[in-house]
Amino acid sequence: MAPLPGAELVQTPLQLYRYLLRCCRQLPTKGIQEHYKHAIRQSFRVHSDEDNPERIQQIIKRAIEDANWILNKLRLIPPPPTPDQQLPSSRRP
């Protein structure tokens, strides 16, 4: 299952870049979103000189798989409790 609809339409590095940045919006916190946006930008810069079409398609496929794995992993982690949530009565100080 793809993290966002349209993963199958990604064919170019620029489409991949935009797709991955949209995936970041699904991440639970601003800090995590910024971390992955930074990683996406760095990876895009590192691979910007790649001109082998087979290698580009390999990178696209792997990046979409990685995005799917990260989003699924972070969906399984429960969100941190909010300050207004109270401790159970047995744990109150």
Side-chain angles (χ1 to χ4, degrees), residues 41 58 67:
R41 286 183 189 111
Q58 260 183 340

Side-chain angles (χ1 to χ4, degrees), residues 40-58:
I40 291 165
R41 286 183 189 111
Q42 279 189 318
S43 184
F44 186 76
R45 287 183 191 121
V46 166
H47 295 291
S48 65
D49 61 344
E50 186 64 59
D51 57 359
N52 180 345
E54 287 180 28
R55 177 70 179 130
I56 290 170
Q57 290 307 310
Q58 260 183 340

Side-chain angles (χ1 to χ4, degrees), residues 7-75:
E8 64 280 354
L9 301 175
V10 174
Q11 296 297 318
T12 67
L14 182 58
Q15 290 172 337
L16 175 66
Y17 180 76
R18 294 175 65 188
Y19 174 81
L20 293 174
L21 290 178
R22 283 193 307 271
C23 286
C24 284
R25 295 181 198 154
Q26 294 186 6
L27 296 170
T29 66
K30 271 293 198 208
I32 294 172
Q33 290 175 8
E34 291 304 316
H35 170 80
Y36 282 105
K37 283 180 185 178
H38 178 73
I40 291 165
R41 286 183 189 111
Q42 279 189 318
S43 184
F44 186 76
R45 287 183 191 121
V46 166
H47 295 291
S48 65
D49 61 344
E50 186 64 59
D51 57 359
N52 180 345
E54 287 180 28
R55 177 70 179 130
I56 290 170
Q57 290 307 310
Q58 260 183 340
I59 293 168
I60 289 171
K61 182 176 184 271
R62 179 61 189 259
I64 291 172
E65 289 171 358
D66 289 350
N68 188 28
W69 183 85
I70 290 166
L71 287 171
N72 286 334
K73 177 183 174 188
L74 292 175
R75 285 183 186 133

